[in-house]
Amino acid sequence: MKKFVIIAFVAVTGLFSVNAMAQSKVAHINAQALVGSMPEAKKAETDLQTYAQSLEAEGKTMVDEYTKKVKEFDDKAASMTENMKEIKGREIQDAQKRIQDYRERAETQVQQKQQELLKPIYDKARKAIEDVAKEKGYGYVIDSSAGLLLVSPTADDLLPAVKTKLGIK
């Protein structure tokens, strides 16, 4: 009798879980296309390019200074003492190291700026996707921007609905 109750319990819970899974609707959206169509993303990209260009200009100044030192060294090397060549050589190496360090820092700063600018945009997009999925009764939304979604019905594409919710045409 005890085994019968356990088997009946397992069977009933299995039916409920299958029924719950059957009720979960799945939709898809190209999140990259959504974010790319948002006006905020276009502004963020412009701001990021401006920021990167300002860092690049500063780096160019350092490279110009380095090039000037190398040219000066090449022009005067024949008349320099060994001690002077060594000092100038170290100066050139130091300038080269500063340029390399600057490039690494600039790359990190651009990445941080990109994250700073895009986080609110991604958050806004995610919230809109969640809201539309809830309104339409979808339990799962798959991001199709990675290109891994092999087959998908157009009726379950949330991109048009989310764009409408965000006021994007």
Side-chain angles (χ1 to χ4, degrees), residues 114-167:
Q114 182 180 27
Q115 289 173 355
E116 173 188 317
L117 292 171
L118 292 179
K119 184 177 181 343
I121 297 166
Y122 287 141
D123 290 346
K124 182 179 179 180
R126 182 174 181 87
K127 174 81 170 98
I129 292 168
E130 289 172 356
D131 291 347
V132 170
K134 190 174 185 179
E135 290 168 10
K136 296 194 176 269
Y138 289 101
Y140 300 94
V141 178
I142 298 169
D143 183 1
S144 63
S145 61
L148 298 175
L149 197 58
L150 301 176
V151 177
S152 60
T154 56
D156 291 334
D157 186 5
L158 293 183
L159 186 60
V162 174
K163 278 184 163 183
T164 302
K165 182 162 189 77
L166 291 173

Side-chain angles (χ1 to χ4, degrees), residues 39-57:
E40 299 96 322
K42 292 175 177 104
K43 182 185 179 324
E45 188 171 329
T46 303
D47 292 350
L48 185 63
Q49 285 176 348
T50 303
Y51 182 70
Q53 286 171 350
S54 71
L55 292 175
E56 189 176 318

Side-chain angles (χ1 to χ4, degrees), residues 54-65:
S54 71
L55 292 175
E56 189 176 318
E58 196 173 321
K60 186 179 180 328
T61 303
M62 293 174 80
V63 169
D64 291 344
E65 193 177 299

